[in-house]
Amino acid sequence: MYLRLCESCGHVGCCDNSSGRHVAQHSRLTGHPVIKSFEPGEEWGWCYVDEVFFESLQAAGAGGAQRRSAESPARPGRHGP
């Protein structure tokens, strides 16, 4: 299980690879679209509404977004939301 942080309210939930998929459920129920990895050393994020992966949320405003497939997002070589 890997943790993800809601950028809107600070809610922490488990990733989409867990049985509960709590962070995806939180996004659906609240309408909060953007999450980021809550794992040490990881800065990537994901927007559920636009299905956009961010290498770094700090770089998102400077063209850091990359469109990924609509299936559960995953960071290259790591685990998804």
Side-chain angles (χ1 to χ4, degrees), residues 31-59:
H32 297 167
V34 179
I35 59 100
K36 67 180 270 184
S37 174
F38 201 57
E39 298 300 314
E42 295 185 4
E43 297 182 12
W44 62 268
W46 174 259
C47 177
Y48 281 100
V49 172
D50 297 320
E51 297 179 345
V52 174
F53 174 84
F54 300 92
E55 289 289 334
S56 171
L57 288 180
Q58 294 176 353

Side-chain angles (χ1 to χ4, degrees), residues 6-76:
C6 173
E7 285 289 284
S8 296
C9 71
H11 173 82
V12 176
C14 56
C15 67
D16 286 353
N17 293 336
S18 72
S19 60
R21 299 185 61 171
H22 295 113
V23 76
Q25 180 182 20
H26 172 77
S27 179
R28 281 191 304 276
L29 293 174
T30 63
H32 297 167
V34 179
I35 59 100
K36 67 180 270 184
S37 174
F38 201 57
E39 298 300 314
E42 295 185 4
E43 297 182 12
W44 62 268
W46 174 259
C47 177
Y48 281 100
V49 172
D50 297 320
E51 297 179 345
V52 174
F53 174 84
F54 300 92
E55 289 289 334
S56 171
L57 288 180
Q58 294 176 353
Q66 297 178 355
R67 184 154 302 272
R68 291 278 175 102
S69 68
E71 59 190 61
S72 181
R75 182 173 177 269

